[in-house]
């Protein structure tokens, strides 16, 4: 089963088109003869192209016959195509892959060990939970490349109208729930006459992962524990999902018919001022600036039970060197460059994407738009599941939420989903 999260990540593509305007960072002299073509596969050509242009220009300026040649593949096809390529031996020199898929290909032995290169380069400031997706048995095979982090956007005008403090958004579950009730009790209406709701949550499995599982993380819940054992049916996970489902399904707190509420519905309602709080990614800052520039809003991480354990879903990409690649040294040189400030700050941050490196978190571009720093916090405090069965788990996870929306008790729905996940692990698929 293809990952529904890819549909959420695809939304990032609309924001990254602006990256094409970033331009090269070096002057480009005459093209060298007989270049070494270093191939890279990616699902985000627009996002990656400025980094490719900058590196190629740098190589030309240094008189080196090295050219990075990107191939853009559909996000829901790149893993399958790479699996076929491994069989034939016709692999790219560099693989830029959705981070949740990295453990699968590392486990298959398709990605080169780059532990020594990473250590020698001093790349030691990644979020350990992000980096861990590229690690097996204390050896590093892939490293974080770009981040697509979830956070909560909230409409400050709606907060004001409901009597809430727009400069102090809720940090605890109790305060968040109270805020949603206060918005409902105010019986506010949007400019088009529609009722205003507190919390908009999309229902597809990818959105439930990107935007809802962080609430469970703040309570110590999860799909899996660090040993890879299923804990979806743990008391901590059940408590979090029950709390969240109550908000999503209580009349007046969230838009009606939550089972049919889509990602597009949520974003349209945010832009139109019909919902006070939604989860989305950093791309939404540019979207609001373009489509609803008068919106006064803030960005916050996910509240926790006691207000002291914020969380976020770390999405994004890992980058590595396939074992069968023809130019491993040149491939590493590009990867090292892509983790430098030239790319992480002057390209990524300049266009609203947080760096995957903590040492590059502070930068002039985020200083100019401080709301982006919430996403940097998400990279620092967030989590992401590590499992070779990530895609396979979407079926039981999505079914659990469908059953909850249909009236099945949360405990029962999660017990059944956890049992199915254990069967998947036992059978290997």
């Amino acid at each position: 089963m293809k990952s529904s999260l890819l549909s959420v990540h695809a939304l990032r593509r609309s924001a990254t088109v602006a990256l094409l305007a970033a331009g090269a960072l070096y002057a480009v002299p005459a093209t060298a003869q007989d270049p070494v073509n270093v191939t890279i596969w990616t699902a985000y050509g627009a996002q990656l192209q400025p980094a490719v242009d900058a590196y190629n220009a740098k190589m030309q300026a240094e008189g080196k016959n090295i050219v990075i040649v990107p191939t853009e593949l559909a996000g829901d096809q790149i893993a399958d195509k790479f699996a076929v390529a491994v069989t034939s031996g016709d692999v790219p020199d560099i693989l830029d892959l959705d981070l949740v898929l990295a453990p699968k290909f590392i486990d298959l032995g398709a990605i080169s060990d780059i532990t020594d290169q990473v250590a020698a380069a001093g790349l030691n400031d990644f979020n350990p939970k992000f980096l861990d997706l590229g690690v097996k048995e204390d050896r590093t095979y892939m490293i974080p490349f770009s981040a697509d982090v979830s956070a909560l956007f909230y409409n400050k005008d709606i907060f004001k109208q409901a009597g809430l403090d727009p400069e102090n958004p809720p940090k605890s579950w109790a305060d968040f729930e109270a805020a949603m009730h206060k918005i409902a009790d105010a019986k506010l209406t949007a400019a088009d006459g529609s009722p205003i709701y507190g919390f908009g949550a999309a229902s597809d499995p990818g959105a439930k992962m990107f935007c809802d599982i962080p609430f469970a993380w703040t309570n110590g819940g999860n799909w899996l524990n660090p040993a890879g054992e299923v804990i979806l049916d743990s008391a901590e996970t059940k408590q979090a999902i029950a709390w969240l489902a109550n908000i999503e399904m209580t009349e007046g707190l969230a838009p009606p018919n939550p089972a049919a509420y889509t990602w597009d519905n949520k974003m349209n309602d945010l832009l139109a001022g019909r919902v006070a709080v939604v989860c989305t990614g950093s791309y939404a800052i540019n979207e609001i600036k373009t489509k609803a520039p008068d919106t006064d809003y803030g960005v916050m991480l996910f509240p926790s039970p006691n207000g002291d354990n914020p969380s976020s879903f770390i999405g994004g990409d890992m980058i590595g060197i396939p074992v069968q690649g023809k130019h491993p040294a040149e491939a590493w040189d590009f990867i090292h460059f892509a983790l430098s400030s030239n790319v992480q700050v002057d390209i990524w941050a300049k266009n609203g994407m947080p760096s995957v490196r903590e040492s590059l978190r502070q930068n002039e571009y985020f200083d100019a738009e401080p709301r982006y720093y919430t996403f940097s916090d998400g990279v620092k405090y967030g989590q992401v599941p590590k499992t070779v069965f990530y895609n396979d788990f979407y079926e039981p996870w999505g079914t659990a939420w469908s059953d909850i929306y249909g009236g099945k008790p949360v405990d029962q729905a999660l017990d059944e989903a956890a049992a199915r996940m254990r069967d998947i692990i036992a059978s290997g698929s």
Side-chain angles (χ1 to χ4, degrees), residues 55-254:
Y55 182 82
N56 287 344
K58 179 176 182 289
M59 291 298 97
Q60 291 180 15
E62 295 175 1
K64 297 177 181 178
N65 299 335
I66 302 171
V67 176
I68 302 297
V69 181
T71 296
E72 182 172 11
L73 300 170
D76 59 354
Q77 296 178 4
I78 191 167
D80 291 342
K81 286 184 178 293
F82 183 67
V84 172
V86 169
T87 301
S88 68
D90 188 20
V91 301
D93 296 301
I94 305 170
L95 184 65
D96 171 22
L97 186 69
D98 190 314
L99 79 172
V100 298
L101 301 177
K104 174 180 179 180
F105 290 106
I106 293 169
D107 191 64
L108 291 173
I111 309 297
S112 297
D113 185 334
I114 55 173
T115 306
D116 295 340
Q117 292 95 317
V118 172
L123 296 173
N124 56 8
D125 55 343
F126 301 116
N127 177 326
K129 292 179 180 177
F130 197 162
L131 178 62
D132 188 51
L133 290 166
V135 174
K136 181 180 179 181
E137 297 176 354
D138 296 324
R139 303 298 293 179
T140 301
Y141 296 85
M142 300 189 80
I143 54 179
F145 180 46
S146 62
D148 181 18
V149 180
S150 61
L152 298 178
F153 283 60
Y154 66 97
N155 187 305
K156 290 187 175 184
D157 288 332
I158 295 176
F159 269 45
K160 292 176 187 175
Q161 293 177 57
L164 298 166
D165 183 351
E167 304 308 322
N168 290 288
K171 292 181 175 61
S172 71
W173 282 4
D175 287 345
F176 185 86
E177 186 172 359
M180 298 305 99
H181 277 284
K182 202 161 185 178
I183 291 167
D185 293 343
K187 300 188 183 304
L188 305 173
T189 56
D192 63 1
S194 301
I196 292 175
Y197 296 98
F199 185 54
S203 62
D204 72 273
K208 304 310 287 181
M209 193 63 211
F210 192 59
C211 289
D212 289 7
I213 200 67
F215 286 107
W217 289 336
T218 68
N219 197 45
N222 211 330
W223 275 5
L224 305 168
N225 65 17
E229 300 166 331
V230 176
I231 59 169
L232 188 66
D233 53 353
S234 66
E236 293 82 2
T237 309
K238 288 178 176 179
Q239 181 184 26
I241 299 305
W243 173 81
L244 183 60
N246 178 64
I247 291 176
E248 293 185 24
M249 298 172 65
T250 296
E251 183 176 357
L253 300 190

Side-chain angles (χ1 to χ4, degrees), residues 363-396:
N363 61 79
E364 61 183 294
Y365 306 109
F366 282 20
D367 286 345
E369 174 46 275
R371 284 173 289 209
Y372 280 125
Y373 276 120
T374 301
F375 296 95
S376 292
D377 289 342
V379 174
K380 181 176 181 178
Y381 296 113
Q383 300 188 44
V384 60
K386 181 182 181 180
T387 173
V388 299
F389 301 108
Y390 189 92
N391 282 358
D392 302 288
F393 287 165
Y394 265 75
E395 183 273 324

Side-chain angles (χ1 to χ4, degrees), residues 4-12 14 148-153 200-212 258-271 275 278-284 287 302 313 375:
S4 297
L5 183 59
L6 292 173
S7 64
V8 176
H9 283 174
L11 293 169
R12 187 173 71 181
S14 63
D148 181 18
V149 180
S150 61
L152 298 178
F153 283 60
S203 62
D204 72 273
K208 304 310 287 181
M209 193 63 211
F210 192 59
C211 289
D212 289 7
Y261 196 67
T262 68
W263 187 277
D264 286 344
N265 293 150
K266 174 179 72 175
M267 295 309 298
N268 289 336
D269 284 347
L270 172 67
L271 295 171
V275 66
V278 305
C279 158
T280 185
S282 60
Y283 79 92
E287 185 170 4
F302 293 78
F313 187 102
F375 296 95

Side-chain angles (χ1 to χ4, degrees), residues 248-330:
E248 293 185 24
M249 298 172 65
T250 296
E251 183 176 357
L253 300 190
N257 195 12
Y261 196 67
T262 68
W263 187 277
D264 286 344
N265 293 150
K266 174 179 72 175
M267 295 309 298
N268 289 336
D269 284 347
L270 172 67
L271 295 171
R274 293 188 292 260
V275 66
V277 182
V278 305
C279 158
T280 185
S282 60
Y283 79 92
I285 289 180
N286 277 333
E287 185 170 4
I288 292 173
K289 186 183 300 183
T290 301
K291 297 180 179 179
D294 295 331
T295 303
D296 187 11
Y297 68 97
V299 186
M300 61 180 178
L301 294 184
F302 293 78
S304 61
N306 298 318
D308 56 358
N309 185 33
S311 192
S312 174
F313 187 102
I314 303 173
D317 292 358
M318 304 286 284
I319 197 165
I321 303 171
V323 168
Q324 297 160 301
K326 299 177 179 64
H327 306 292
E330 293 85 354

